[in-house]
Amino acid sequence: MIQRIQTVYLFLAFICMGVLPFVFPLWKDAAGKDFYFMMNTAYAALFGLSMTLSLISIFGYKKRQNQFVMNRLNMILNVILLGLFVYRSLNLSGETQVSEKGIGMFLPIVSIVLLVLANKAIKKDEDLVKSVDRLR
């Protein structure tokens, strides 16, 4: 059942956290250079972990409850990543590091929305299976 709608949402979340960070910079520094997630090991680890959780969740389609829990963990991870970005951009004084925010800073928000949609679809499937089991 890999053709379900939650698989599409999870694949889009995988693309959002695994491919798009290589394309879009997180921000530009004061010198005008693009800052990508690979330049900081913590950001690279968090993006990689989020991408891995999405991929594991895609192939764990037979266990819907585990898939649901993995998506929740992935959402928490994306909130942590988003919190680090907000802290980095707002806590620094003046124009020392972050000069202009990039699209890459908002990728965790898109990923969270996609994971919420996937969890809604998983919940709908789980309810459907439970209703069919009641009829037996």
Side-chain angles (χ1 to χ4, degrees):
M1 301 248 310
I2 209 160
Q3 72 273 11
R4 300 179 302 172
I5 189 68
Q6 59 262 33
T7 305
V8 173
Y9 292 140
L10 289 170
F11 183 72
L12 290 174
F14 169 76
I15 294 293
C16 184
M17 297 307 282
V19 176
L20 292 180
F22 287 104
V23 178
F24 299 116
L26 297 177
W27 57 75
K28 290 186 179 197
D29 58 5
K33 288 181 59 182
D34 290 337
F35 184 88
Y36 288 93
F37 79 102
M38 300 147 315
M39 296 177 181
N40 188 333
T41 56
Y43 296 152
L46 290 173
F47 270 104
L49 190 59
S50 178
M51 176 193 66
T52 305
L53 281 175
S54 293
L55 195 62
I56 291 171
S57 186
I58 287 172
F59 291 111
Y61 60 89
K62 289 185 180 179
K63 298 179 181 176
R64 286 177 299 277
Q65 205 61 26
N66 288 345
Q67 197 177 27
F68 192 81
V69 170
M70 288 237 213
N71 288 345
R72 286 281 173 107
L73 289 173
N74 202 352
M75 280 188 256
I76 292 170
L77 186 68
N78 282 315
V79 167
I80 291 170
L81 190 60
L82 187 64
L84 286 174
F85 291 157
V86 169
Y87 175 78
R88 176 79 179 215
S89 67
L90 294 179
N91 199 22
L92 296 172
S93 60
E95 285 285 321
T96 56
Q97 297 283 31
V98 179
S99 177
E100 180 180 325
K101 294 173 189 72
I103 293 175
M105 275 183 107
F106 303 106
L107 289 176
I109 296 172
V110 175
S111 180
I112 289 170
V113 169
L114 290 168
L115 290 168
V116 166
L117 290 173
N119 271 356
K120 283 180 73 173
I122 292 168
K123 180 78 169 124
K124 190 175 175 182
D125 274 359
E126 189 67 30
D127 291 343
L128 180 67
V129 168
K130 283 183 182 178
S131 72
V132 169
D133 284 344
R134 267 196 305 262
L135 294 175
R136 287 187 195 179

